[in-house]
Amino acid sequence: MTAVTGRPTGARGLRCKECGEELPLGASYACEFCFGPLEVAYDRDVLAATVTRESIEAGPPSIWRYADLLPCAPEDPTAGLPVGLSPMVRAPRLAERLGLGEVWVKNETANPTHSFKDRVVSVALQKARELGYEVAACASTGNLAQSVAAHAAAAGMTSYVFVPADLESQKIIATGIYGCTLVAVDGNYDDVNRLCMELAADRPWAFVNVNVRPYYSEGSKTLAYETAEQLGWSLPDRCVVPIASGSLYTKIHRGFTELLDLGLVDGRVPAMNGAQAQGCGPVAAAYEAGIDFVAPVRPETIAKSLAIGNPADGIFALDVARGTGGGIDAVSEDEITEGIALLAETTGIFTETAGGVTTAVLTRLAERGDIGPDERVVIYITGDGLKTLDAVADRVEPVTISPTVDAFEAAVAGHRSVEVLS
Ligand SMILES: *Cc1c(COP(=O)(O)O)cnc(C)c1O
Ligand SMILES: [Zn+2]
């Protein structure tokens, strides 16, 4: 295999999250000593000496402006699909509706495949190619499938994508179109993941969320970096983030911690609020029960992109929730669709079900009085509404008329007040 070269970054090695053992930056994902999960470790002195606000601002308009803080970086940061620098949108009408002071929406629907997964896939596939992999693969709840297929296509890699067979048809079509081998598995995500772990054991394929997972998960830190940079190098007081495996939630927290540690921002780590669906809320349940293990559940929710019953980073998510003064809530199916509609009506942003979960948790926090009047809150809207149209199809009903003014006026008379200019 021919490895692509990358440019050096501040990454030093892989470190076991359980016992602290360090390994070189290879294709390992479990500790050789205790089988604990591995994460990327950085040389803090190198970062402190090289990374400044100015060095970041001088970088490319994509996640690669933060390359020094990532495990790998392309030689040419303009190659491939450009990911990141998604809009940070002030949401005054949403804030007003909920009686809150300052709410911002980090709009991740603006990425190339319309979800935040493009961040993690960009980083994972860059590292996979540096390690000599020519085949990309993944176990997906939907958005990862689409992103892996697209980024593999852009990089000229072959891809194999495994999804639960009951996935939304929008996501199946939007994945297969990139020319991947799309495998629909008769089972839920946890079954798909188990199969992929077996396949990864004896195939020279980069499963982005299995054998190159330590690199994959680092991509989510860029959401924290962008949040701070787009708020003029300051931190929000509170963040609301959806949780599936818990990787996104814990890595956004890690990104803020790193910025504070390097002196790139002042203040304190935001309160981190996690968002799950009641139909798949194992981390929220553990939080509520005050315990520090996560009991697996069988997912049953319209928020399919969050439907991981046995979340790999669940226990780390509990630490973040408790350590930052945040929390983890789970919302009902009705609250999810209400959340989608509320966000759309007050911001003009149409989110998939995961964003409905996030918006519904924001609503809960506001109603419970958990958010102070002066707090600056950021909600992470991680995927596009066009991916899960069926979830809200029955909320939308056009007024059907014959093409006459009379018919129009008769139809809208009982519908809503219409001002006619005379
Ligand atoms: C994958 C995903 C998440 C969160 O995933 P984690 O496994 O917790 O990192 C959130 N929202 C959407 C839309 C997703 O696709
Ligand atoms: Zn270990």
Side-chain angles (χ1 to χ4, degrees), residues 143-180:
N143 288 318
L144 189 61
Q146 218 172 312
S147 188
V148 165
H151 288 265
M157 297 175 88
T158 301
S159 64
Y160 289 83
V161 162
F162 299 81
V163 296
D166 72 346
L167 200 63
E168 296 96 343
S169 63
Q170 288 92 355
K171 285 180 182 165
I172 302 247
I173 296 163
T175 299
I177 198 68
Y178 294 111
C180 64

Side-chain angles (χ1 to χ4, degrees), residues 321-399:
R322 291 174 180 142
T324 61
I328 304 174
D329 278 88
V331 292
S332 70
E333 304 289 284
D334 283 348
E335 286 176 279
I336 296 170
T337 51
E338 282 298 322
I340 295 174
L342 175 65
L343 186 76
E345 289 168 15
T346 57
T347 68
I349 295 169
F350 181 27
T351 181
E352 70 148 83
T353 45
V357 172
T358 305
T359 308
V361 168
L362 177 74
T363 305
R364 278 260 190 109
L365 296 172
E367 284 171 359
R368 246 185 359 228
D370 285 2
I371 303 179
D374 301 326
E375 281 191 28
R376 180 159 67 171
V377 184
V378 176
I379 63 172
Y380 291 83
I381 295 304
T382 46
D384 195 303
L386 294 176
K387 290 167 177 277
T388 60
L389 284 173
D390 293 344
V392 288
D394 63 2
R395 297 183 70 98
V396 176
E397 189 142 17
V399 182

Side-chain angles (χ1 to χ4, degrees), residues 101-326:
E102 190 176 335
V103 176
W104 295 77
V105 177
K106 183 64 171 152
N107 183 7
E108 285 288 281
T109 71
N111 280 309
T113 70
H114 316 290
S115 87
F116 95 94
K117 289 295 198 302
D118 289 323
R119 297 176 185 271
V120 286
V121 170
S122 258
V123 176
L125 290 194
Q126 170 62 27
K127 190 64 193 179
R129 289 158 73 222
E130 288 180 20
L131 292 169
Y133 287 104
E134 288 166 351
V135 177
C138 71
S140 174
T141 56
N143 288 318
L144 189 61
Q146 218 172 312
S147 188
V148 165
H151 288 265
M157 297 175 88
T158 301
S159 64
Y160 289 83
V161 162
F162 299 81
V163 296
D166 72 346
L167 200 63
E168 296 96 343
S169 63
Q170 288 92 355
K171 285 180 182 165
I172 302 247
I173 296 163
T175 299
I177 198 68
Y178 294 111
C180 64
T181 301
L182 175 55
V183 185
V185 179
D186 187 12
N188 61 31
Y189 172 81
D190 299 285
D191 299 319
V192 176
N193 194 45
R194 215 173 311 115
L195 169 64
C196 286
M197 287 179 78
E198 280 179 48
L199 293 173
D202 56 7
R203 277 171 183 73
W205 298 355
F207 279 84
V208 300
N209 54 342
V210 181
N211 52 354
V212 290
R213 186 173 177 88
Y215 306 106
Y216 158 97
S217 52
E218 290 292 288
S220 288
K221 294 191 310 184
T222 58
L223 264 170
Y225 306 149
E226 282 183 25
T227 300
E229 186 179 355
Q230 290 173 319
L231 292 175
W233 292 111
S234 67
L235 296 181
D237 299 302
R238 184 179 300 276
C239 296
V240 187
V241 182
I243 293 179
S245 72
S247 173
L248 171 68
Y249 175 78
T250 52
K251 288 295 178 172
I252 289 179
H253 172 257
R254 171 63 58 84
F256 290 134
T257 315
E258 289 176 353
L259 293 180
L260 282 163
D261 181 48
L262 293 170
L264 295 170
V265 291
D266 299 321
R268 54 182 296 274
V269 176
M272 297 292 295
N273 283 96
Q276 293 208 291
Q278 278 166 5
C280 184
V283 195
Y287 179 82
E288 175 79 27
I291 53 180
D292 51 17
F293 64 92
V294 175
V297 300
R298 178 171 288 275
E300 188 63 63
T301 173
I302 54 168
K304 293 186 179 171
S305 54
L306 303 182
I308 297 185
N310 189 10
D313 291 303
I315 53 169
F316 305 109
L318 290 171
D319 289 344
V320 168
R322 291 174 180 142
T324 61

